[in-house]
Amino acid sequence: DVVNLIPLADQPRVKVAVEGDPERMIAMGDPAELDILVSNLVSNAMKYSENDSSVTVTLAREAEWVVLSCEDQGIGIAPADRTQLFREFFRSESPEVKAQPGTGLGLTIVDRIVTRHLGRIEVDSELGEGSTFRVFLPGD
């Protein structure tokens, strides 16, 4: 439930906005796993965002897919790192990434959940400008 993510942003430094109609966006899948997927994406977006920036979670329909987008205005991801994002224990060598705690498992978990749900994930990112993760899951 995307609306339940707003408490993650209780930190004064990051604003989380949810766009779309969660009541009309029903993805087929395990609710607990989908909650983990969304929580991991949003917490990563918040972790790598600057003070007073925002994270936007958007829900939309594209044909048979429910599309969840998580967009931040954070540090971005280097092109060389994008190919390894979903590998277990991968963490960028970037000093901004190393400054944040993490295990390198969050995106691996996201990728496995997406795969188990017969979906796909796309990543767009520019260094210094932020990242957008788009998850496509089969809809009802």
Side-chain angles (χ1 to χ4, degrees), residues 106-128:
L107 290 177
T108 301
I109 292 167
V110 166
D111 186 53
R112 288 181 182 170
I113 292 171
V114 168
T115 299
R116 275 196 296 273
H117 285 79
L118 305 176
R120 72 180 194 276
I121 188 166
E122 299 174 352
V123 180
D124 291 315
S125 187
E126 293 292 327
L127 279 175

Side-chain angles (χ1 to χ4, degrees), residues 15-68:
K15 176 185 173 194
V16 174
V18 179
E19 299 176 356
D21 183 359
E23 300 299 320
R24 293 186 50 234
M25 305 296 160
I26 299 172
M28 305 304 290
D30 178 271
E33 285 197 349
L34 296 178
D35 185 54
I36 292 167
L37 178 150
V38 175
S39 295
N40 278 343
L41 288 178
V42 173
S43 63
N44 269 3
M46 292 171 57
K47 182 186 333 184
Y48 297 111
S49 290
E50 298 294 324
N51 288 336
D52 299 320
S53 65
S54 64
V55 171
T56 303
V57 178
T58 305
L59 293 167
R61 285 296 294 230
E62 289 186 19
E64 71 274 10
W65 301 103
V66 171
V67 183
L68 179 135

